[in-house]
Amino acid sequence: MTSGELTRTEAIAEMVGEVFTTADYYEVGREKVREFARALHDDNPFHWDEAKAAEGGHPALLAPLTMVAIMGTKSQAQLLEAHIPGNLLKSGVLQVDQSFTFHKPIMAGDKLYCDVNLETYRTVAGADLFTVKTLVRDVDRGVLQESWTSLAGPGEEAGRLPDDFDDIVDRVIFSGADSHVQPLVPSSRAEIPAPEGGPWTTIAFDELTEGMDLPVRRQQFTRGDVINYIGVSGDPNPIHHSDAVAHAAGLDTVVAQAMLTLGTAAGYLTSFVGDPAAFRNMSARFTSPVYIPANEPAVVEYSAKVKSLDPATKTAMITFGASLNGKRVFGRCTANVQFA
């Protein structure tokens, strides 16, 4: 490094807050909504039945709460690969947190742009810790959703990965990932709207009590589930389908996508609440991977509790969690919901 040249950390930090947007919109298809709900084992009728959605006051099918994963993940990868220096997505990056703020529901027929930016960046003991913000806005309805994805990477030196790791990945990864990619374009921060007030078609607020438990749900995840989610969401990461890549990355075996297990948790919550549009925000920390054996399912147990109630606004905080073989999959998980 010559005098006056920025260090890697300084160069990355200079890009914090710089906003880029997708060059073209993503049109939400009615069958894509159903396809994504199916991948998440989400039977909420507002994702499947237009008549039921209309009865709830919605002019089209509602997308599952985490459907931003389809367009948002690609936009984040483009940002980090093409516009942020330092190769933050080098092999070994793990997602550690995910949070959402919901302003308006995403619906079939929406034409969505994604605004992305590096929101925070720091190093701890040489490792990269960073958060990418994704804002979703419709051509006509404005800002619909904000999400924050926090990741941890190995920093400048991956170290633990084998020398031939890239070759192992190249032998199994989807070969068309770079085809027809439209570049992101510079943008500015969008104006955040005031939240919509409903009313939403939920269970009655008066039916809730502080401390009440939601029914436990046990959900199977097989290799077929994670491979189907790859196709539906467009997630190309081979640790979700290749034992060779998973082992080379230091994992016991193939792991389920964090957004698959969290999206299924969101469906578990909306099945209790009723209307997905009633959710104001949701967040989760990923504490351990969900390993998927080759010849049998992994069974994840979802549970939730009404933590607190606000009678003045008819809102509730719900805490939720998931476990696999008694080990926590999520930590510090909350959702705030507006009830009828």
Side-chain angles (χ1 to χ4, degrees):
M1 184 176 66
T2 60
S3 177
E5 184 179 339
L6 294 177
T7 66
R8 175 179 180 273
T9 298
E10 291 169 341
I12 295 171
E14 278 205 341
M15 293 302 298
V16 170
E18 294 293 323
V19 180
F20 295 82
T21 195
T22 45
D24 197 1
Y25 60 77
Y26 175 93
E27 186 164 357
V28 181
R30 183 183 68 165
E31 295 310 318
K32 192 65 177 184
V33 168
R34 291 169 171 160
E35 186 181 74
F36 196 73
R38 176 175 173 266
L40 299 178
H41 313 94
D42 188 343
D43 295 326
N44 191 299
F46 286 12
H47 306 319
W48 294 91
D49 189 324
E50 289 174 324
K52 292 287 187 184
E55 289 174 10
H58 305 295
L61 294 181
L62 297 191
L65 294 177
T66 61
M67 194 166 171
V68 65
I70 294 177
M71 69 292 294
T73 301
K74 297 181 183 70
S75 301
Q76 291 174 6
Q78 281 185 265
L79 171 74
L80 296 172
E81 290 172 354
H83 299 282
I84 307 298
N87 192 16
L88 288 174
L89 282 186
K90 67 171 59 180
S91 300
V93 171
L94 296 174
Q95 185 175 357
V96 293
D97 283 290
Q98 182 68 48
S99 62
F100 298 89
T101 295
F102 306 107
H103 301 289
K104 304 172 187 177
I106 295 174
M107 298 186 295
D110 282 345
K111 297 177 179 178
L112 306 179
Y113 284 93
C114 282
D115 299 344
V116 289
N117 67 273
L118 183 64
E119 188 83 343
T120 65
Y121 171 75
R122 62 193 177 102
T123 60
V124 176
D128 293 321
L129 300 175
F130 57 102
T131 299
V132 180
K133 179 181 177 180
T134 304
L135 180 143
V136 178
R137 52 188 173 86
D138 175 63
V139 168
D140 298 314
R141 297 195 296 130
V143 175
L144 307 182
Q145 181 183 119
E146 298 170 274
S147 67
W148 293 265
T149 304
S150 296
L151 303 111
E156 293 191 73
E157 299 297 332
R160 64 180 179 83
L161 296 174
D163 293 338
D164 62 345
F165 185 81
D166 288 343
D167 292 334
I168 296 171
V169 170
D170 288 342
R171 287 196 290 269
V172 300
I173 198 168
F174 173 52
S175 58
D178 295 329
S179 301
H180 308 293
V181 174
Q182 293 184 303
L184 298 176
V185 295
S187 185
S188 58
R189 287 186 180 268
E191 183 176 348
I192 305 302
E196 292 189 342
W200 311 124
T201 308
T202 66
I203 62 173
F205 181 80
D206 293 341
E207 295 181 19
L208 305 174
T209 57
E210 288 190 0
M212 72 179 291
D213 293 311
L214 277 62
V216 170
R217 175 179 170 184
R218 293 173 177 85
Q219 179 62 55
Q220 294 186 349
F221 293 97
T222 65
R223 291 285 175 100
D225 288 313
V226 297
I227 291 170
N228 180 64
Y229 188 79
I230 290 169
V232 171
S233 69
D235 182 350
N237 193 332
I239 65 169
H240 304 308
H241 64 81
S242 168
D243 286 303
V245 174
H247 292 157
L251 300 167
D252 293 346
T253 189
V254 163
V255 296
Q257 298 88 346
M259 292 301 291
L260 170 59
T261 55
L262 180 58
T264 301
Y268 161 65
L269 297 177
T270 61
S271 69
F272 170 76
V273 170
D275 193 340
F279 281 70
R280 302 271 58 89
N281 57 64
M282 181 175 70
S283 63
R285 167 161 288 185
F286 303 107
T287 55
S288 60
V290 175
Y291 287 111
I292 309 296
N295 300 310
E296 61 182 5
V299 181
V300 175
E301 183 173 283
Y302 291 98
S303 59
K305 181 187 294 287
V306 178
K307 180 69 173 179
S308 62
L309 298 170
D310 184 348
T313 60
K314 291 189 175 181
T315 58
M317 176 187 286
I318 300 174
T319 58
F320 64 97
S323 62
L324 174 65
N325 300 324
K327 187 174 183 179
R328 288 199 311 171
V329 174
F330 303 145
R332 299 197 317 187
C333 302
T334 62
N336 286 287
V337 183
Q338 174 71 63
F339 285 89

